[in-house]
Amino acid sequence: MQFNKPLIRGVLQKRYKRFLADIDFGEQQFTTVHCPNTGAMTGCAEPGFIAYCSDSDNPKRKYRYTWELSVNGNNEWIAVNTQRANQLAGTALKTGFIPELANITEWQAEQKYGEHNSRIDWLGRAGNGQQCFVEVKSVTLNDHGQGYFPDAVSTRGQKHLNELILMRQSGQRAVMLFVVMHTGINEVRPASHIDPKYAQLCIQAAELGVEFYAVKTHISDAKIELDRVVRFQLR
């Protein structure tokens, strides 16, 4: 996934009200930008981090710029725009990047499903007609190379796991795909120390046949691309 136009480099001053951040693009001229991330963003949004933003080039938009990337004090790159994870997941699924899912050739994004009229990130169909429901999560919480999800208690994440369990019990394939959007992370596991209910649901889901995969990305100010499949540990 290549950025359409060069990103604008600045220095993060603060993130606030979940969807806003102030960034200095030079000469102490702070600009308020859109933050496309509803999570806690632990370790991703410290004042002084380098921040890269895309420019909508739309003067009518309330916040012209969108925060895309951070670079922390260890020179690790972090993609903070969670929408990018879904795009990269689509590339991984459509190109057979994950061998276990390579037999599925038809993929559609944002399809309605489940008992609560939810939307699945990606819905696939194999040649035998079996459907495959894929929920995508962006992973940016890093602890010495270990990635964790979620970075805060996530009732929404718990709901998604329960719906994947129902899909699996109905005879379809159900997949949780974690996209690592932090270059310092080398494997992923549920954050049992943050959301023990979510972690326990992961174990329950796996026992019932829900599949778990994680892919790592390479990130730069020019593009974000798939790097490799990495280990996902339930415990």
Side-chain angles (χ1 to χ4, degrees), residues 107-144:
W107 291 102
Q108 293 178 293
E110 295 291 328
Q111 299 298 300
K112 290 184 178 180
Y113 83 114
E115 294 185 348
H116 305 288
N117 202 27
S118 299
R119 285 186 179 272
I120 194 71
D121 291 317
W122 289 95
L123 175 61
R125 189 181 299 275
N128 61 4
Q130 186 183 43
Q131 292 180 308
C132 181
F133 294 81
V134 180
E135 187 68 39
V136 178
K137 300 298 182 188
S138 174
V139 182
T140 57
L141 180 59
N142 178 38
D143 185 3
H144 297 90

Side-chain angles (χ1 to χ4, degrees), residues 14-205:
K14 62 178 179 178
R15 180 230 185 176
Y16 56 101
K17 295 182 180 179
R18 294 177 72 190
F19 297 107
L20 300 177
D22 286 347
I23 294 177
D24 178 11
F25 289 123
E27 299 181 357
Q28 296 292 300
Q29 296 296 313
F30 300 161
T31 301
T32 300
V33 306
H34 173 59
C35 174
N37 191 317
T38 61
M41 294 182 66
T42 304
C44 305
E46 300 301 317
F49 279 9
I50 301 300
Y52 287 89
C53 296
S54 56
D55 182 357
S56 69
D57 203 23
N58 181 1
K60 295 183 179 180
R61 210 176 95 164
K62 185 173 182 180
Y63 301 107
R64 174 173 170 172
Y65 302 100
T66 298
W67 185 12
E68 298 281 354
L69 310 173
S70 289
V71 182
N72 66 19
N74 295 322
N75 204 33
E76 295 165 336
W77 290 72
I78 308 160
V80 301
N81 186 342
T82 56
Q83 295 177 7
R84 304 303 184 188
N86 275 11
Q87 295 169 1
L88 289 157
T91 299
L93 296 170
K94 293 174 182 178
T95 61
F97 190 79
I98 303 168
E100 293 86 348
L101 301 176
N103 67 316
I104 302 171
T105 56
E106 298 180 26
W107 291 102
Q108 293 178 293
E110 295 291 328
Q111 299 298 300
K112 290 184 178 180
Y113 83 114
E115 294 185 348
H116 305 288
N117 202 27
S118 299
R119 285 186 179 272
I120 194 71
D121 291 317
W122 289 95
L123 175 61
R125 189 181 299 275
N128 61 4
Q130 186 183 43
Q131 292 180 308
C132 181
F133 294 81
V134 180
E135 187 68 39
V136 178
K137 300 298 182 188
S138 174
V139 182
T140 57
L141 180 59
N142 178 38
D143 185 3
H144 297 90
Q146 177 67 67
Y148 290 98
F149 184 90
D151 61 2
V153 174
S154 177
T155 54
R156 187 167 181 266
Q158 295 166 18
K159 172 190 167 186
H160 290 157
L161 276 172
N162 280 318
E163 290 185 328
L164 286 179
I165 288 172
L166 290 175
M167 293 300 101
R168 182 65 192 124
Q169 290 176 328
S170 72
Q172 309 303 324
R173 289 183 75 176
V175 173
M176 184 64 73
L177 175 55
F178 296 93
V179 180
V180 176
M181 304 292 269
H182 189 305
T183 59
I185 293 174
N186 296 306
E187 64 178 27
V188 180
R189 68 175 62 184
S192 58
H193 58 300
I194 294 173
D195 191 342
K197 185 173 181 179
Y198 182 87
Q200 186 57 44
L201 273 173
C202 285
I203 294 171
Q204 178 186 345

